[in-house]
Amino acid sequence: MPRVCGLEVFRLVLPYGRRPESILVRLTDYGGMTGWGEVVDPDPKAWSILQERLAQALVGVDWEHPDELGVVPGGPAADMACWDLWARMRGVPLAHALGGSRTSLMATVRIGAERNLDSLVARVNRHVCAGYAHVTMDVHPGWDVEPLRAVRMAYPALGIGLDARGAYTDIDALEALDAYAPSAIERPFTGPGGLADHADLQERVAAPVLLEVASVAELDEAIAAGAGRALLLRPAVLGSLREVRRAHDSAVAAGWEIACAGGQGTGLARAATVAAASLPGCTLPCDVAEPPRSAQIVDPPVGATGGVVAVPLTQPGLGHGIDEERVRRLAKDSYRA
């Protein structure tokens, strides 16, 4: 039975890109076992909520399973740490604790809009040569049919997903993309609303419309409306691994496919995404492209090799060692309770 005797929370500024932030939570059991969690690009209120409420909710509290804790203050980072601690104490990988059965995952790599078609095809070629069998291309009005046609002509057998990032209002423009056999059309319209438009598009195209939702209730509403045939499952968006399993089960029951994706961060959040992607209904390629090694605090790093992501099954919990010295070097703020 886990019983947390202490916790530490770290706020990190990551050394890449626009220097995004991550919040890490470290829980320690009375037996000395630790569990870690992460939230990437946290809500501005997350830090103060963790400071004010997390210790009161967890320290000295007995619990048999993370599901008993309900909504843990501080969101995904604290929830993930509870699951990691529980799985480590049980000696099981987090993937198995969630009900996962896969040992490896096909990965996708995201391809942003390029300057021209030659640059785009060259970039796709680099990833194909690295072993990727699937890419996800960003598309928007004015950059969609021609780039998709160019990549499809260069690589007839390549799996190609399309991420519209909510940029479209014209269903006809999206329907035209279906001629090039995309594996999915992701987030075609802004937000989960407008389910009638999503349903209309799904009726017109063979590719599954891939929706991102913020709750199981939103997913159930989309399923009832026939607004797609695939779920973009982001553990950080749903807030807890319990909700991730519920969303997975609802999608599978409806016959929907599932693609998992996770934020970059330090590798911890992506490790949890890999565990979620091992669930049996997650049949579409997962998006866990490796964040820069300079930002990773996990060993081995989380990422794809030859277009395949291994699910860590030889170590309990998240399945990765934590470089605590590096965490403390990267932290711009921290506290313990």
Side-chain angles (χ1 to χ4, degrees):
M1 175 183 293
R3 193 179 192 194
V4 174
C5 67
L7 60 86
E8 289 185 88
V9 183
F10 306 89
R11 181 157 53 186
L12 278 60
V13 177
L14 304 179
Y16 63 84
R18 297 182 178 180
R19 299 182 66 79
E21 286 195 359
S22 274
I23 291 178
L24 307 187
V25 172
R26 178 183 187 268
L27 304 179
T28 304
D29 177 78
Y30 277 89
M33 193 73 73
T34 59
W36 287 81
E38 176 182 27
V39 60
V40 184
D41 294 326
D43 183 282
K45 297 179 181 179
W47 182 255
S48 59
I49 290 174
L50 286 164
Q51 281 186 310
E52 295 167 6
R53 298 172 53 194
L54 185 59
Q56 181 180 358
L58 290 181
V59 174
V61 176
D62 293 325
W63 44 281
E64 291 285 353
H65 190 277
D67 285 350
E68 296 176 14
L69 296 170
V71 179
V72 181
D79 177 79
M80 187 192 309
C82 290
W83 275 94
D84 184 35
L85 175 62
W86 182 83
R88 288 177 188 271
M89 293 185 70
R90 291 296 182 101
V92 298
L94 179 60
H96 285 176
L98 293 174
S101 57
R102 299 175 183 274
T103 60
S104 63
L105 315 169
M106 179 185 288
T108 190
V109 60
R110 292 191 176 265
I111 308 291
E114 286 284 351
R115 295 184 302 275
N116 56 59
L117 296 180
D118 289 340
S119 297
L120 171 66
V121 173
R123 186 175 176 190
V124 172
N125 179 67
R126 289 196 296 272
H127 292 298
V128 171
C129 291
Y132 282 90
H134 190 279
V135 300
T136 299
M137 294 172 48
D138 284 349
V139 294
H140 55 77
W143 180 264
D144 45 23
V145 172
E146 287 191 14
L148 177 56
R149 181 191 300 123
V151 174
R152 176 56 74 211
M153 290 179 65
Y155 300 99
L158 181 66
I160 305 173
L162 304 176
D163 187 358
R165 296 180 181 269
Y168 286 81
T169 57
D170 182 0
I171 293 178
D172 292 338
L174 288 163
E175 185 180 7
L177 301 174
D178 201 47
Y180 299 96
S183 61
I185 300 174
E186 180 179 335
R187 299 184 292 184
F189 310 111
T190 301
L195 293 180
D197 286 340
H198 287 82
D200 187 7
L201 175 62
Q202 186 62 88
E203 287 184 356
R204 297 193 195 188
V205 299
V209 174
L210 182 63
L211 273 68
E212 181 177 10
V213 298
S215 68
V216 176
E218 281 188 8
L219 172 60
D220 291 341
E221 185 180 358
I223 290 171
R229 292 206 314 270
L231 168 66
L232 181 62
L233 189 60
R234 293 185 185 272
V237 172
L238 289 172
S240 73
L241 293 175
R242 175 177 180 270
E243 291 300 284
V244 166
R245 292 189 309 175
R246 289 184 62 215
H248 167 273
D249 294 347
S250 289
V252 169
W256 282 33
E257 298 182 89
I258 302 172
C260 276
Q264 287 195 347
T266 65
L268 278 172
R270 293 220 163 185
T273 300
V274 168
S278 73
L279 288 165
C282 299
T283 54
L284 293 175
C286 64
D287 177 16
V288 288
E290 186 178 319
R293 289 185 179 274
S294 60
Q296 295 223 24
I297 55 93
V298 296
D299 182 32
V302 181
T305 301
V308 175
V309 179
V311 179
L313 299 174
T314 59
Q315 299 294 325
L318 289 168
H320 298 263
I322 311 298
D323 187 342
E324 295 191 30
E325 182 180 342
R326 190 172 210 185
V327 169
R328 299 180 193 284
R329 288 202 309 268
L330 291 172
K332 76 171 188 178
D333 201 355
S334 65
Y335 77 90
R336 66 173 63 201

